[in-house]
Amino acid sequence: IGDATYNNKAGFQVQGSFGRYYEQMRLEIEYSFRNYELKTAATASADSDLHTMMVNVIYEAPLGDMFFGYMGAGIGATIMKYELGSASDRDTLFSFQFLAGAGYRMTDNLSLVLGYRYFRTLDSKFNVAGRTVSVERQAIHGFETGVRFDF
């Protein structure tokens, strides 16, 4: 496995954020957790956890009385944990993202949202069990749905 290059496979993500509106702009701080299985062409696999803190700026535009669209960008840091069997290592990476989507206001304080997010980190290297492992940048395209509470 030494000096192998890994690419991410399917995984899952959970996130939460809080922020403040300024006219049609929203400034928010977001935390997310992602878990992915990493694979090489040589069938070796490992597990990867990503803990990310981002600062996002999002523009929101009304699309009628109940619907709205949004687009935004964010920058932050990701702590990536790489596990291969019982050995593991961590690396802190610069990360950024772009997001866009639409929402439906069910009440003044509750909205359903559906969106797309492009998330990316820099390349990373890990020392696991005396070997150097390179993990290519995490470039993740994701579709998401959720509920947003405004108060």
Side-chain angles (χ1 to χ4, degrees):
I1 295 180
D3 297 318
T5 300
Y6 284 77
N7 293 305
N8 63 326
K9 292 292 206 178
F12 72 91
Q13 172 180 333
V14 177
Q15 72 185 46
S17 61
F18 67 92
R20 180 160 174 83
Y21 277 100
Y22 299 94
E23 300 290 324
Q24 290 181 290
M25 301 292 282
R26 189 169 75 241
L27 179 65
E28 66 181 24
I29 295 173
E30 169 192 303
Y31 167 78
S32 65
F33 170 79
R34 295 171 176 90
N35 177 270
Y36 290 96
E37 180 182 358
L38 301 171
K39 290 251 185 208
T40 65
T43 70
S45 67
D47 195 44
S48 175
D49 291 341
L50 287 77
H51 296 271
T52 303
M53 289 294 293
M54 303 289 281
V55 175
N56 299 321
V57 176
I58 299 168
Y59 173 76
E60 192 172 289
L63 303 172
D65 290 339
M66 305 299 280
F67 292 93
F68 60 91
Y70 65 90
M71 60 189 304
I75 61 171
T78 297
I79 297 172
M80 183 175 181
K81 181 180 179 186
Y82 175 88
E83 295 179 10
L84 180 63
S86 61
S88 67
D89 193 14
R90 294 177 192 261
D91 196 4
T92 302
L93 311 166
F94 171 77
S95 51
F96 64 91
Q97 65 184 0
F98 299 102
L99 50 135
Y104 173 74
R105 285 193 213 298
M106 296 175 10
T107 69
D108 287 342
N109 299 332
L110 183 65
S111 300
L112 294 175
V113 293
L114 178 65
Y116 165 79
R117 183 178 302 248
Y118 174 74
F119 172 82
R120 181 157 166 200
T121 68
L122 299 179
D123 293 349
S124 54
K125 288 192 183 280
F126 299 95
N127 293 312
V128 179
R131 297 175 185 210
T132 300
V133 177
S134 298
V135 177
E136 292 181 354
R137 68 183 184 270
Q138 298 294 297
I140 300 168
H141 299 271
F143 292 97
E144 56 193 15
T145 185
V147 176
R148 191 175 80 204
F149 300 97
D150 297 318
F151 50 95

